Amino acid sequence: MSRRVTAGAAAIVVATALGVSGCASTVHLDPAPDAGTVACAAVTVRLPGELEGLASRDTDAQATAAWGAPLTVFVRCGVRVPQVSALPCSTFGGVDWLIDTSDERYLRAVSYGRAPAVEVVIDSSVPAPGADLDALAGAVRQVPATKHCL
């Protein structure tokens, strides 16, 4: 996978990940380009074992995590760091997130102003996705912020 993760490439990853359902088998995710960084290791070890009542799932890629059966939320650390964006930026848990709702099947949030960036994908059926972002923010705050939303 190239360093430049486009919305189309992210959609392929999401389609693959969210297509897993039924039993709580290992979730296949593609690692992000910068998944091997020390910062991603710090984020990954601090991710919660349970997320808003959803049990964690095993994943097969470095610096990733998943919750729910069927798969409801997943995280990839080390995605392309967003620069200027037309996406709305919201703060949850002290972390600025660029929020992409362009696909009706899922919400995609990418941490803003932190390198490496963290991507969170949440199934659109989740009634309060901000609660998931709040719950994940403690881990994401391990990557220092260098910029903030305007």
Side-chain angles (χ1 to χ4, degrees), residues 22-52:
C23 64
S25 61
T26 299
V27 177
H28 170 72
L29 295 171
D30 292 327
D34 292 326
T37 64
V38 171
C40 280
V43 168
T44 304
V45 300
R46 288 171 177 84
L47 291 169
E50 184 177 288
L51 184 62
E52 299 297 306

Side-chain angles (χ1 to χ4, degrees), residues 4-77:
R4 186 166 174 81
V5 177
T6 63
I12 291 168
V13 171
V14 171
T16 301
L18 293 180
V20 176
S21 63
C23 64
S25 61
T26 299
V27 177
H28 170 72
L29 295 171
D30 292 327
D34 292 326
T37 64
V38 171
C40 280
V43 168
T44 304
V45 300
R46 288 171 177 84
L47 291 169
E50 184 177 288
L51 184 62
E52 299 297 306
L54 300 171
S56 66
R57 303 266 306 269
D58 290 333
T59 63
D60 63 358
Q62 186 173 4
T64 62
W67 295 267
L71 184 61
T72 305
V73 178
F74 75 85
V75 170
R76 293 186 327 138
C77 183

Side-chain angles (χ1 to χ4, degrees), residues 93-134:
V95 174
D96 291 341
W97 301 93
L98 294 176
I99 308 294
D100 183 355
T101 59
S102 63
D103 187 304
E104 62 189 47
R105 290 184 52 218
Y106 66 90
L107 173 143
R108 179 176 178 263
V110 177
S111 61
Y112 178 76
R114 297 170 193 267
V118 176
E119 171 187 56
V120 178
V121 178
I122 304 171
D123 186 283
S124 62
S125 66
V126 171
D132 292 323
L133 295 175
D134 275 334

